[in-house]
Amino acid sequence: MNTDLQDYSHKRYNILTGEWVLVSPHRAKRPWQGQNEEISADDRPAHDPSCYLCAGNTRINGEQNPDYKDVFVFTNDFAALQSTSKTFSVNDGLFKAESEQGICKVICFSPDHSKSLADMAVEDINKVVATWQKEYTVLGAEPIINYVQIFENKGAVMGCSNPHPHGQIWSQSTLPNEVEKKDHQQQAYFDKNQTSLLGDYLEQELEVKERIIFENEHFVVLTPFWAVWPFETMIVPKRSQKNITELSEDESLSFSEAISKITKAYDKLFNCSFPYSSGIHQAPTNGKPNAHWHWHMSFYPPLLRSATVKKFMVGYEMFGSPQRDITAEQAVARLRDLIV
């Protein structure tokens, strides 16, 4: 391991976005006198009569949820994007705007209000994966949809308004900023090398084994060299695939196992239901070949030192660039020991 990276301030390059992150390992030794977040109570019932996501309950718009037994999907009652939005544009000097259409859905992972992905069996997580695959296909086939973003916000500290295990899908007519960066970087690398950027990166990571947290036959869980969040991780398929619909049955189960392993390890890290935002970046549904894409799933957890100490993106991060104190390698050492 390069000891300079563990002792001195430096920048690391994110190959997927073309941006840099500042790493300041010496700052991790300073005393903490910042804000402590309250720990959310984890003692929840299997069914909450007041929860609008629980089976059989009535949502705020008056619709009643079915008595679902595994995964349940519905169109978001408060969608950020509208499929019927008027098409328009504004080009008035330096004032520029364009209309955006889309479809937003909510996915309940389980009817059990008390669970999270970390508490679910691999077979049940696999049902969630199958639903992601179906929704990617169905939404991506819509003429107005060119990108499908699958994500989950877990925990009140991440802005999640309901503790019921669920995620969301926002599909839209153009590529969001982060996806556009990754699309550009992967395309440029593929044009030059005729290989997958993330596939070649994964080969190098598997060779040095400094940031690998978990590995099975088809997937690797690692902390990226350029990670921004303290305990950020990425799940990467070993076989280059454009999107999650290309998973075989065995690969789908391996992916589900990888999700299970890392979410369980997160909960053990600070002995709490670990908050995070997670999301899958995969090829656009714009009808192009997109051979340069190698899909992956990222987890961005905010916790820094304990269950009550959060990493804030403020000051320099807001006006300069992302910055972290503990190195990716230090984070991996802690997470790797919690994988069982």
Side-chain angles (χ1 to χ4, degrees), residues 45-280:
H47 183 276
D48 184 347
S50 65
C51 171
Y52 62 83
L53 297 181
C54 278
N57 289 358
T58 301
R59 300 202 303 277
I60 195 71
N61 68 348
E63 292 186 23
Q64 185 176 19
N65 297 329
D67 187 22
Y68 63 95
K69 302 302 181 183
D70 39 57
V71 186
F72 169 51
V73 183
F74 63 92
T75 300
N76 198 320
D77 300 325
F78 302 97
L81 293 158
Q82 303 163 303
S83 60
T84 56
S85 180
K86 177 183 175 183
T87 301
F88 65 91
S89 64
V90 175
N91 282 288
D92 182 10
L94 297 179
F95 303 146
K96 185 175 181 179
E98 294 180 358
S99 59
E100 184 77 359
Q101 294 180 314
I103 302 169
C104 298
K105 293 191 175 183
V106 176
I107 301 181
C108 297
F109 299 152
S110 167
D112 193 329
H113 185 79
S114 68
K115 289 187 175 181
S116 70
L117 287 174
D119 305 311
M120 294 168 58
V122 171
E123 293 75 15
D124 290 329
I125 296 176
N126 199 40
K127 294 177 183 177
V128 176
V129 172
T131 304
W132 287 340
Q133 292 172 313
K134 178 182 177 181
E135 292 298 328
Y136 174 86
T137 302
V138 171
L139 289 169
E142 292 286 338
I144 65 168
I145 300 302
N146 286 299
Y147 190 73
V148 179
Q149 181 61 64
I150 297 167
F151 67 96
E152 178 195 3
N153 292 324
K154 181 192 173 194
V157 73
M158 296 306 294
C160 182
S161 59
N162 191 317
H164 192 102
H166 74 285
Q168 298 186 55
I169 299 179
W170 290 15
S171 58
Q172 60 190 96
S173 49
T174 63
L175 271 58
N177 294 344
E178 291 301 303
V179 178
E180 192 166 31
K181 294 174 195 172
K182 292 188 175 185
D183 185 63
H184 173 79
Q185 290 292 109
Q186 291 182 96
Q187 182 71 72
Y189 188 89
F190 186 82
D191 289 345
K192 181 180 179 180
N193 301 284
Q194 295 302 302
T195 55
S196 158
L197 171 62
L198 202 51
D200 289 353
Y201 166 74
L202 188 58
E203 283 188 17
Q204 189 172 346
E205 285 285 19
L206 287 170
E207 184 177 341
V208 298
K209 294 189 180 300
E210 289 180 358
R211 286 165 293 275
I212 305 297
I213 298 169
F214 170 75
E215 177 186 358
N216 59 24
E217 183 180 358
H218 302 292
F219 281 85
V220 174
V221 182
L222 54 81
T223 292
F225 181 76
W226 56 83
V228 170
W229 295 95
F231 293 97
E232 178 179 332
T233 59
M234 180 188 291
I235 302 177
V236 189
K238 293 181 178 179
R239 183 169 68 90
S240 181
Q241 303 167 10
K242 294 180 290 187
N243 61 65
I244 58 174
T245 67
E246 297 181 14
L247 289 167
S248 68
E249 289 186 15
D250 285 345
E251 287 171 331
S252 182
L253 278 170
S254 290
F255 179 37
S256 301
E257 181 190 28
I259 293 173
S260 176
K261 291 289 186 181
I262 190 56
T263 53
K264 280 180 166 59
Y266 276 150
D267 281 5
K268 292 176 183 176
L269 185 61
F270 296 133
N271 295 314
C272 68
S273 184
F274 206 78
Y276 58 73
S277 281
S278 67
I280 298 173

Side-chain angles (χ1 to χ4, degrees), residues 6-24:
Q6 309 307 314
D7 296 327
Y8 302 104
S9 59
H10 60 279
K11 294 192 301 181
R12 298 195 186 192
Y13 184 66
N14 185 332
I15 60 171
L16 287 173
T17 65
E19 298 172 340
W20 293 85
V21 54
L22 177 64
V23 185
S24 313

